[in-house]
Amino acid sequence: MSVHIGAKETEIAESILLPGDPLRAKYIAENFLEGAMLYNEVRGMYGYTGTYKGKRVSVQGTGMGIPSISIYTHELIHQYGVKQLIRVGSCGGVQQNIKIRDVILAMTASTDSSVNRLGFKGMDYAPAGSFELLQKAYSEAAKKGMDVHVGGVFTSDTFYNDDPDRIKLLNDYRILAIEMETSALYTIAAKAKVQALSILTVSDHIVTGEETSAAERQNTFNEMIEIALETVVH
Ligand SMILES: O=P(O)(O)O[C@H]1O[C@H](CO)[C@@H](O)[C@H]1O
Ligand SMILES: O=c1cc[nH]c(=O)[nH]1
């Protein structure tokens, strides 16, 4: 057991999917994994281990924001020996060519969080996803005929932000979408020398205000989940 995860040492697989929402973890376990066993209920942050196409895979909710995902990834890597971490999250589209329901593979994650600056003695660090996982995810998506966007995302410490200049700035620098965890995931994984990737579904568009319905979200989340699981088994 770790401080926030109630699993025994051997109950978590080396490859894990990380949704922010614990109920998305339950949904993935119940609909995509065979023989899924619930290993964590501490704080309602569900974690399950099962198999996908014969390979042992876990799925763990991380909560929202950098502090929360940092706790779970730290414990998963350092106390449970997890080696491959794939976030399966939602995000807000920024560029005009990004449409709701699109899937994004996050190559890099810029951020307004000061966590990395504190750790890097005032210097800027460039959090990047695992090239191997990115390449596999891209090719698995292509095999399924799914169009995905690949590029930089922005990890924000705030969900509600009404500064209009911020969106223009992100747009000018070709940021594809905003979410709240990837910068921390990539930084923690890099230091621990393990692989990480964020696969994101656009749930709403920050500029146009378009939104998905709950049913639409579920179906498009399925595409992202399938890409993540195929990436893990190939
Ligand atoms: O859908 P998840 O994975 O939680 O991701 C996004 O949704 C939450 C905000 O609603 C933040 O955690 C953001 O990163
Ligand atoms: O706009 C959005 C949508 C999902 N997640 C975010 O962080 N922002």
Side-chain angles (χ1 to χ4, degrees):
M1 276 183 64
S2 61
V3 175
H4 301 91
I5 302 175
K8 297 194 193 100
E9 223 170 273
T10 54
E11 283 180 333
I12 303 182
E14 283 197 353
S15 299
I16 196 160
L17 268 53
L18 302 173
D21 182 353
L23 291 179
R24 197 178 312 138
K26 185 170 189 280
Y27 174 80
I28 294 169
E30 288 175 354
N31 293 282
F32 291 86
L33 300 186
E34 279 177 32
M37 178 208 78
L38 177 70
Y39 66 70
N40 189 53
E41 284 187 283
V42 176
R43 290 180 180 251
M45 203 59 78
Y46 300 129
Y48 299 82
T49 298
T51 60
Y52 179 77
K53 296 191 174 173
K55 177 163 173 145
R56 203 161 167 259
V57 181
S58 295
V59 54
Q60 170 70 55
T62 65
M64 292 183 274
I66 285 177
S68 191
I69 195 170
S70 299
I71 288 171
Y72 289 100
T73 51
H74 181 96
E75 293 180 16
L76 289 167
I77 293 167
H78 297 289
Q79 290 181 260
Y80 292 96
V82 172
K83 304 276 186 237
Q84 269 189 340
L85 303 96
I86 302 186
R87 168 164 153 69
V88 280
S90 64
C91 65
V94 173
Q95 300 294 327
Q96 289 290 348
N97 69 318
I98 303 284
K99 305 292 177 211
I100 54 168
R101 298 185 289 275
D102 282 2
V103 173
I104 292 174
L105 307 182
M107 197 154 57
T108 59
S110 304
T111 186
D112 58 7
S113 161
S114 55
V115 169
N116 278 359
R117 283 224 174 137
L118 291 171
F120 276 81
K121 303 185 188 303
M123 296 181 287
D124 288 320
Y125 173 68
S130 151
F131 178 69
E132 196 181 328
L133 290 184
L134 182 64
Q135 197 177 34
K136 277 191 201 166
Y138 187 79
S139 108
E140 291 307 319
K143 273 194 222 164
K144 288 180 173 293
M146 295 175 194
D147 263 340
V148 293
H149 303 273
V150 182
V153 301
F154 187 79
T155 299
S156 178
D157 266 352
T158 51
F159 180 80
Y160 295 107
N161 190 305
D162 55 9
D163 176 3
D165 297 339
R166 181 165 104 139
I167 294 302
K168 181 174 181 332
L169 190 67
L170 299 184
N171 209 296
D172 286 349
Y173 281 84
R174 300 294 304 151
I175 294 293
L176 303 182
I178 305 184
E179 53 81 75
M180 300 178 69
E181 293 84 14
T182 299
S183 144
L185 171 65
Y186 287 0
T187 304
I188 290 168
K191 188 168 184 213
K193 299 181 176 50
V194 298
Q195 297 180 322
L197 180 68
S198 278
I199 306 179
L200 306 168
T201 300
V202 181
S203 56
D204 56 78
H205 201 286
I206 309 280
V207 180
T208 65
E210 276 181 290
E211 287 177 341
T212 43
S213 69
E216 283 175 322
R217 273 178 210 201
Q218 184 153 310
N219 291 338
T220 38
F221 280 4
N222 284 354
E223 289 188 348
M224 159 179 79
I225 293 160
E226 280 170 24
I227 296 171
L229 287 168
E230 291 297 328
T231 300
V232 159
V233 296
H234 283 94

